[in-house]
Amino acid sequence: MDVEKLTADPAEQRLIAELLQAGQEHLFADWDPPGTNEEAKAAFRESLMHINRAYPDGLLGYIAKARKFLSEVREGENPFEGFEPHQPDKVDLTRFDADYDRYEALGKSHFEKTAVVLVAGGLGERLGYSGIKLDIPVEVTETVSYLAHYAACLKAMETRMNTPHPVPFIIMTSADTHAKTVASLEANSRFGLKEEQIHILKQEPVPAIADNDGHLALKEKYKLILKPHGHGDIHMLLHSSGLAAELEKQGIEHLVFIQDTNGQVFNAIPAALGVSVEKGFDFNSLGVNRIPGEAVGGLARLVKGDREMTLNVEYHQLDPLLRATVSPEGDVPDEQGFSMFPGNINVLLIRLAPYVKILERTRGVIAEFINPKYTDETKTTFKKPTRLETLMQDLPKFFGPDEKVGVSIFDRKWCFSANKNNVADAAAKHAAGSPPESGATAESDFYLAGRMKLAAAGMEVTPAEEQLILGIPFTPGPRVLLRPSFATTLDEVRSKISGGSISGEATLILDGKDIFLENVELPGPSALVIKACDGARVTVKNLKVENDGFELVKLTDEEQNSTATPEYLRIRGYRIENRGAAVYEFNEPGEYTL
Ligand code: UTP
């Protein structure tokens, strides 16, 4: 094939010549004669050049790696061969006790040296929401989106610092989410965050591979199939942007990695941060008690001779590993019904100093792998094109004996409740005994965390009975929203709330740093909403609130199926309507009593 006929550009010529040498002739076969379809050809050449620039090892490096990994998959190589799983170095934070308070206080004192990294480049295919997941309201009493909630958490961290400064906020987007994420931030004045604290890093897709020979897959003539490379790209981008090193220079010591739809995560971050600091963990994974067989990786310390590493073992690899080593029966429940190893929820706290060194060494290209689905056991053809992937939790594969990896275990619903599945799949998951992880369960758990905080402060909390809405469990109350501005730790909740009771479908919303409740009674469906600006100190004493509050209204079949109903309601099956909640807003500093 004559490269000069394909392009006049010398750089393009070089790349095409290399691709031809690497067996990629099919990309340029059947090209139209010169003068025909020149625009499409130019766009195709530019897409090859773009990938070649964006991928750290270049396009040829990518293809070579894909071939190597594919041959290893065919050989059936076991990455854990010879390793024996042991319990990781873990701290149990499933109970609110004195240790919990100590870790929270320590974590809170470390907010000044912490940055938050949000990976939000995922397609969200399972949820099938038409917008970005970050724009979905985490609750529909006041309709606050995930992005707004995360921003409020960062602002709350800032106001708890000795010398307040904005918490750096790094958001990873992709071609699928970038424009809408930027638009959402702009349309909402960045939810009160400062422009200079937000750093958006866009991940690039990678080309799909069609077969075991590593041929790049074409969607049509002059068009590659591109696929997401996975959330592990965040490491590469934090390196290539220079941001990780820059944050270290600014005095940041820990990065907290969070995901797009986990409204619970900031409940656990202060204590987890305290664990990272006290235990000196370079890599601290939030873990939960894992149900055997569930599609959640297990966190284990893998030991082989004098080598050891604490890693997330993907759920499909865990059972065979256990059978081959410590548990011939496989991934079976213990006396409490849990799997032997804690489950990974992929909330990670990474110490910046060793991280920057590892990024320099690896350029942030972390443990890529390939996971082709073959048509049969001969492993000759794929069901559909595959690609290299990378997962952010695999970073400890690059750790040596000096880096310390640990796990902080929390009550699952306190630290993790994602909105990943559409209503039909969520109902099916519930029927099968798995967490539904839907819009409704995420919202239900969001209120639950509020109830847990009230109960920890000694308020009497009587929950309403769980219902099924579209086959998905939902506890309709009390709906408690203690906004991040109100409290970042249990200790703060305790210092502001004492006595009182709340029951049934009552609602309590507190937004503001200086709101104090003493012996407040809220029988369902009564609702009390207090919003106080900075400097407004509001005390509510010996008050029984009685009104018609907010009502949970299930969508009719017609509403459920109508595109006139907002999509964020249809992904949960209900709306919440104000029937006369008591709402108090204090927009001027001062002392107020109710
Ligand atoms: P999920 O496992 O929820 O995957 O990602 P997803 O792609 O968003 O959703 P499905 O699988 O298509 O239904 C976990 C987190 O990682 C981010 C997601 O945005 C989410 O916060 N992610 C995932 C990325 O940032 N980039 C990726 O390439 C993949």
Side-chain angles (χ1 to χ4, degrees), residues 78-88 290-294 296-303 311-334 338-343:
N78 173 5
F80 300 121
E81 186 68 50
F83 281 97
E84 197 175 88
H86 293 258
Q87 285 304 317
R290 183 176 176 279
I291 317 291
E294 78 170 307
V296 160
L299 293 160
R301 189 163 56 86
L302 303 174
V303 181
L311 276 186
N312 170 68
V313 181
E314 283 299 322
Y315 61 94
H316 61 275
Q317 294 170 321
L318 187 63
D319 185 77
L321 176 68
L322 295 181
R323 279 178 199 282
T325 54
V326 292
S327 171
E329 317 82 61
D331 184 15
V332 289
D334 63 11
F338 299 124
S339 174
M340 281 175 79
F341 293 97

Side-chain angles (χ1 to χ4, degrees), residues 45-107:
R45 289 190 304 259
E46 176 43 33
S47 76
L48 295 170
M49 292 292 285
H50 180 72
I51 298 163
N52 193 44
R53 282 189 300 266
Y55 188 72
D57 297 320
L59 187 50
L60 275 294
Y62 177 84
I63 294 167
K65 262 196 241 175
R67 286 197 178 124
K68 176 171 170 279
F69 293 160
L70 282 165
S71 102
E72 285 169 7
V73 171
R74 282 202 308 284
E75 299 293 316
E77 278 184 26
N78 173 5
F80 300 121
E81 186 68 50
F83 281 97
E84 197 175 88
H86 293 258
Q87 285 304 317
D89 190 353
K90 59 188 180 189
V91 177
D92 186 344
L93 294 164
T94 53
R95 286 210 323 259
F96 296 155
D97 55 14
D99 278 346
Y100 196 96
D101 289 342
R102 189 169 46 81
Y103 283 122
E104 271 204 329
L106 184 56

Side-chain angles (χ1 to χ4, degrees), residues 118-127 133 172-174 203 228-233 258-261 346 392 420:
L118 165 62
V119 291
L123 270 175
E125 270 176 328
R126 285 170 288 174
L127 185 61
K133 288 189 274 177
M172 182 169 79
T173 59
S174 66
Q203 64 176 145
H229 190 217
H231 42 58
D233 269 347
I258 64 171
Q259 298 176 44
D260 49 18
T261 64
N346 248 357
M392 62 178 176
K420 281 182 194 283

Side-chain angles (χ1 to χ4, degrees), residues 570-586:
R570 286 190 283 130
I571 60 168
R572 33 192 120 209
Y574 57 85
R575 66 163 67 84
I576 292 176
E577 290 186 0
N578 190 342
R579 300 274 183 243
V583 181
Y584 300 92
E585 289 198 44
F586 302 91

